[in-house]
Amino acid sequence: MTHDLNRRTLLKAALGSAGLGALGSLPAFAQDARVRLYWWGSKERADRTLKAVSLYQERNPGVKIDGETLAWGDYWPRLATQAAGRNAPDLIQMDYRYVAEYARRGALLPLDEFVGKSLDIGDFDKASLDSCKVDGKLYGINIGNNSNALIYNKAAFQKAGVPEPIDVTWDKFFELAAAVTKAHNGEYFGTSDASAEEVAFENWLRQRGKALYTEDGKLGLDEKDASDWFAMWAKAREAKACPPADLQALDKNNIETNLLTQGRAACAFNHSNQYVGYQVLNKNPLGITMYPQGAGPNPGHYLKPSMMWSIYARSKVAEPAVKFANFTVKDVDGAKLLGVERGVPASPKVREAVSAELDAQGKLVVDFISHVTPKVGPIPPAPPKGAGEIQTMLRRISEQVGFGRLSTADGGKQYVSEAQAILSRA
Amino acid sequence: MTTTAQIPLTITEPEKRSKRRGGLSRTLVSYSFLLPWLIGFLGLTLGPTLASLYLSFTNFDLLQDPQFIGTANYQRIITNDVKFWHSMQVTFTYVILAVPLKLAFALGLAMVLNRGIAGLPLYRALFYLPSLLGASVAIAVLWRQLFAKDGLANVALGLFGIQGPSWISDPNYSLYTLVLLSVWQFGSPMIIFLAGLRQIPPDVYEAANIDGANKVQQFLKITLPLLTPVVFFNGIVQTIDAFKAFTPAFIISEGTGGPIDSTLFYTLYLYQEGFAYFRMGYASALAWILLIIIACFTAFSFLTSRYWVHYND
């Protein structure tokens, strides 16, 4: 019996301490507003974001902001899963590609009622506001604007005695790139192979008056367009302007594995805000310029919100979340901490204040946006459902062509037929 | 298998008595100890499994409520999905290569270790280590480095004047690097083989020696037949594991199954459909097809086992 009693006492004690443990894990200040903040991006972005968070918490006792960050590829599956579990983060870094999908499915909060109150974005220009609207309602707060940008290793061009690829045509670009490869004895390539990069493909399509998608969500290009694109890169591969397919396949579509970062190629096709992230990972000074241009007058570039803040529809702390978002885009101190790593601020006042204190790299990005702004076309419509799958498919077909398993003509055919199948299914 | 057979399964008399006397409280105690596992099993395994059966008959994009669409998902998978068949092919290639190679390797090493060499526990631990680490993200990342264009594998080949390709990013080789990764994790079948080898009485070999049987004959006529229960067990466990393989392919291809879908394992395709393209209903149907395939394989193994598995009793 005593044995039993002892055991029971022990059990009780164990349960008791477990209960105490549970009490201990309750938030110390129950009245605190806890905002879950969620974003994708590089380590540089995380550092900047967390700095802004601590400054905000310092100034606003009673608000606690918990940050969660993931790489782009893992970010969306996690967000979708959390949204399905009705447990998405309160403040979500949103992309132009997805805002319509999430908004139309009722996962995001319309922000119009906050404008003029806790959200002071009256001085944003119309384009910066409209690009965050879905069906007439505001679902995002523009964090910064960006545009397509060619990011390149200045030293690689200088060492090769080749002029930098500033505002050149595609033909000239590949000529320069091939010269860089040659000067580096074929061990280092003039440019990475961007045939799998949808941003580059879209820019090039716009130059020939086409688009990835039409206003009503249909395919905006034909087989010939896609074939020509693959053929252009096949020619560059042959001329050794860009690396062979097995090298290019090491690129997993992020800054860390891009061949520019890996020290194997001199150019990366990307967005202007990513310049900051690239420079952090590169020893050599990088340059930033527009994508190579076509012969025609159509601009390939456009300005878009590089990302926006959205609020989860079921958030219980929408007001504090909006206030923190406002802090990062309208409060000069908050915006300065983010710099231009998420794009150039949309508010003219903030842009000016932020620009004044930028380092040389940040200034380059701002100058680039000023340089591009007069040359841009309108922003394309938000992509239709299934666009994410088509983006992955472009990568696969570009690899099939690169490894010689598909001709460039068949690559074009396959792109169109698979894309149409995906769109009709989605 | 052979080891559990030695545990007495009948309840002895005193225990029976105490069970009658202690009755309810004893049962409650057992259940309270079982409870954490039971909650986990019901809540985290059985519940979601049944939910996924329902979802497999729906169209579910995670954000909106699922809509019932009957067997449309299954119909599409069977009749109109190139990627399904492709990922099947990749997975079966992987299973057919990785499982026998791994088992052969594990058995070979178990036999070497069974010779009673000095420092056996150390070797056993060392050989087991890859199995502990194998499915981890860190090892997949390491593998990516080893078999990249300028990875260690190519440095080693370079010593012999061979210029290797970029193994992991060349669709001709990428799947085989994953097979190799799987074979490298031979530790757990090896430990089980080792235990099985220990069970074979040494006098059988002595008798064979006296009769003049050579090593090969001894292996084929004694070791292998007496080891068949262990081979059977390891075979099933490893095959199921191989069908379910996900992490290495996911990490090495960064979730794409690339290059050119050459490492698009079935589970990876399932993941993409569900989590990257938000077709959770379709992904659930894919998951159930995998479950059926694994169940068929296991049933088939059990049915045929009586023709080739010899229990030593």
Side-chain angles (χ1 to χ4, degrees):
Chain A
M1 262 340 259
T2 47
H3 176 73
D4 255 350
L5 258 179
N6 277 341
R7 207 167 48 186
R8 201 165 294 149
T9 334
L10 200 71
L11 205 65
K12 274 184 192 157
L15 280 173
S17 60
L20 279 178
L23 278 178
S25 69
L26 286 174
F29 303 98
Q31 74 275 26
D32 275 12
R34 286 181 94 92
V35 176
R36 280 168 64 207
L37 167 67
Y38 185 55
W39 73 93
W40 74 84
S42 59
K43 183 172 177 303
E44 173 71 11
R45 179 169 305 161
D47 292 344
R48 287 169 181 265
T49 311
L50 292 174
K51 269 184 206 153
V53 164
S54 29
L55 179 63
Y56 187 78
Q57 288 181 154
E58 226 169 81
R59 290 192 187 170
N60 298 275
V63 180
K64 176 95 180 60
I65 296 169
D66 296 323
E68 298 168 43
T69 178
L70 282 176
W72 169 269
D74 303 321
Y75 184 87
W76 299 101
R78 164 101 159 252
L79 181 61
T81 316
Q82 290 188 334
R86 321 220 148 164
N87 184 31
D90 304 295
L91 186 55
I92 302 163
Q93 182 175 302
M94 186 46 68
D95 184 64
Y96 183 62
R97 172 179 289 279
Y98 287 102
V99 66
E101 272 192 54
Y102 275 87
R104 287 186 184 140
R105 287 168 177 166
L108 300 181
L109 196 69
L111 301 172
D112 303 271
E113 55 164 309
F114 297 97
V115 178
K117 293 171 202 154
S118 44
L119 191 56
D120 168 34
I121 54 174
D123 63 342
F124 281 25
D125 56 280
K126 191 172 176 310
S128 296
L129 282 172
D130 285 352
S131 54
C132 299
K133 279 184 182 165
V134 179
D135 304 330
K137 280 187 189 163
L138 188 70
Y139 284 98
I141 304 161
N142 187 324
I143 311 180
N145 283 311
N146 72 2
S147 189
N148 296 155
L150 183 77
I151 296 166
Y152 62 95
N153 181 343
K154 282 170 166 279
F157 281 88
Q158 276 157 16
K159 244 182 255 163
V162 175
E164 293 175 20
I166 298 167
D167 298 348
V168 290
T169 61
W170 283 99
D171 287 345
K172 183 74 184 168
F173 174 71
F174 287 124
E175 197 183 295
L176 297 176
V180 169
T181 311
K182 201 167 171 217
H184 289 86
N185 303 317
E187 295 284 309
Y188 182 88
F189 293 85
T191 177
S192 54
D193 177 348
S195 60
E197 299 283 358
E198 198 179 56
V199 280
F201 185 37
E202 182 185 40
N203 192 300
W204 177 86
L205 283 171
R206 286 165 60 92
Q207 291 170 13
R208 37 157 77 195
K210 298 292 184 72
L212 285 175
Y213 306 105
T214 58
E215 286 286 343
D216 52 355
K218 301 253 164 54
L219 210 56
L221 63 135
D222 58 28
E223 288 176 2
K224 172 104 175 42
D225 297 317
S227 302
D228 284 358
W229 169 253
F230 294 129
M232 179 175 87
W233 284 99
K235 212 172 123 198
R237 217 170 286 126
E238 214 167 284
K240 294 204 172 0
C242 68
D246 65 333
L247 206 54
Q248 183 58 42
L250 294 171
D251 178 350
K252 302 299 180 189
N253 201 16
N254 54 36
I255 295 180
E256 288 79 6
T257 57
N258 188 290
L259 295 192
L260 172 67
T261 311
Q262 298 274 323
R264 295 186 171 277
C267 294
F269 285 77
N270 243 306
H271 288 111
S272 55
N273 64 301
Q274 287 167 312
Y275 174 84
V276 179
Y278 271 100
Q279 186 62 75
V280 170
L281 292 175
N282 274 275
K283 285 194 298 279
N284 295 310
L286 301 178
I288 178 169
T289 185
M290 288 172 74
Y291 283 178
Q293 298 300 300
N298 291 321
H301 287 66
Y302 57 90
L303 287 177
K304 82 175 200 35
S306 60
M307 51 206 78
M308 46 187 106
W309 292 126
S310 289
I311 310 283
Y312 179 44
R314 293 169 176 271
S315 171
K316 294 193 176 68
V317 286
E319 180 73 26
V322 169
K323 278 185 180 158
F324 174 72
N326 192 64
F327 172 74
T328 63
V329 297
K330 273 310 290 279
D331 188 301
V332 171
D333 295 335
K336 266 183 198 161
L337 288 172
L338 296 194
V340 292
E341 194 274 331
R342 277 186 171 89
V344 176
S347 154
K349 190 187 106 213
V350 172
R351 182 164 60 226
E352 209 172 291
V354 168
S355 307
E357 287 188 28
L358 281 174
D359 52 9
Q361 297 153 15
K363 283 212 175 73
L364 270 178
V365 177
V366 176
D367 289 349
F368 172 73
I369 290 295
S370 317
H371 172 73
V372 177
T373 303
K375 303 182 182 179
V376 296
I379 188 166
K385 243 168 116 179
E389 195 174 353
I390 294 175
Q391 189 182 23
T392 314
M393 179 202 80
L394 170 66
R395 186 160 288 267
R396 189 183 78 242
I397 294 182
S398 126
E399 284 176 350
Q400 279 173 302
V401 174
F403 281 106
R405 296 192 176 183
L406 269 185
S407 70
T408 54
D410 288 345
K413 273 188 200 141
Q414 196 165 331
Y415 180 91
V416 170
S417 71
E418 282 197 42
Q420 273 164 350
I422 290 168
L423 288 178
S424 67
R425 187 182 172 193
Chain B
M1 307 238 98
T2 41
T3 48
T4 52
Q6 290 161 359
I7 297 169
L9 290 173
T10 48
I11 299 167
T12 52
E13 276 308 299
E15 277 183 42
K16 264 186 186 166
R17 256 202 313 280
S18 77
K19 191 176 179 183
R20 218 174 292 130
R21 195 166 7 111
L24 188 64
S25 79
R26 218 184 151 79
T27 318
L28 277 180
V29 168
S30 352
Y31 274 110
S32 69
F33 276 106
L34 196 62
L35 203 60
W37 177 84
L38 204 63
I39 292 173
F41 175 74
L42 293 176
L44 299 175
T45 307
L46 192 65
T49 307
L50 292 176
S52 87
L53 181 61
Y54 166 68
L55 289 177
S56 73
F57 296 102
T58 65
N59 197 352
F60 179 39
D61 69 357
L62 284 172
L63 295 175
Q64 284 163 326
D65 291 334
Q67 304 156 285
F68 191 79
I69 52 165
T71 56
N73 285 332
Y74 291 96
Q75 280 170 14
R76 185 191 164 88
I77 290 171
I78 304 296
T79 60
N80 190 17
D81 188 347
V82 188
K83 274 197 161 187
F84 165 76
W85 295 107
H86 176 75
S87 64
M88 273 287 168
Q89 190 198 335
V90 170
T91 306
F92 270 90
T93 312
Y94 176 75
V95 171
I96 288 166
L97 287 176
V99 175
L101 278 173
K102 186 181 193 171
L103 290 185
F105 203 67
L107 179 57
L109 263 163
M111 288 177 63
V112 172
L113 289 183
N114 195 35
R115 290 189 171 174
I117 44 173
L120 176 63
L122 177 71
Y123 287 114
R124 215 164 40 196
L126 282 179
F127 285 135
Y128 194 69
L129 207 57
S131 294
L132 293 177
L133 305 170
S136 73
V137 171
I139 293 299
V141 171
L142 178 75
W143 221 250
R144 204 164 69 192
Q145 301 298 333
L146 270 177
F147 291 98
K149 183 86 172 176
D150 49 4
L152 217 51
N154 278 346
V155 172
L157 284 176
L159 296 177
F160 302 100
I162 304 166
Q163 226 226 309
S166 179
W167 303 96
I168 56 148
S169 60
D170 187 322
N172 294 315
Y173 306 103
S174 49
L175 182 60
Y176 304 109
T177 63
L178 292 177
V179 170
L180 203 64
L181 175 57
S182 158
V183 173
W184 182 64
Q185 299 160 42
F186 57 86
S188 82
M190 181 198 74
I191 295 283
I192 297 169
F193 276 133
L194 202 53
L197 288 171
R198 291 277 170 92
Q199 298 258 318
I200 301 174
D203 45 340
V204 188
Y205 290 104
E206 266 168 46
N209 262 332
I210 293 164
D211 288 347
N214 64 28
K215 289 282 173 209
V216 178
Q217 283 171 324
Q218 285 183 19
F219 175 74
L220 290 176
K221 300 280 181 191
I222 301 173
T223 315
L224 214 48
L226 287 177
L227 218 52
T228 45
V230 185
V231 173
F232 178 61
F233 173 78
N234 269 339
I236 287 187
V237 170
Q238 294 303 325
T239 308
I240 292 176
D241 264 6
F243 271 119
K244 294 194 308 185
F246 175 77
T247 319
F250 180 80
I251 302 295
I252 287 176
S253 72
E254 301 243 352
T256 63
I260 320 185
D261 290 347
S262 58
T263 59
L264 188 71
F265 284 2
Y266 191 82
T267 50
L268 198 53
Y269 175 50
L270 187 163
Y271 168 84
Q272 286 184 354
E273 282 292 314
F275 292 94
Y277 309 142
F278 307 148
R279 289 193 278 260
M280 203 46 88
Y282 196 74
S284 299
L286 286 170
W288 275 86
I289 288 180
L290 181 64
L291 181 77
I292 291 164
I293 289 173
I294 292 179
C296 286
F297 159 78
T298 312
F300 180 76
S301 306
F302 270 97
L303 285 177
T304 56
S305 68
R306 60 191 172 116
Y307 300 110
W308 63 276
V309 178
H310 310 283
Y311 290 100
N312 191 15
D313 51 21

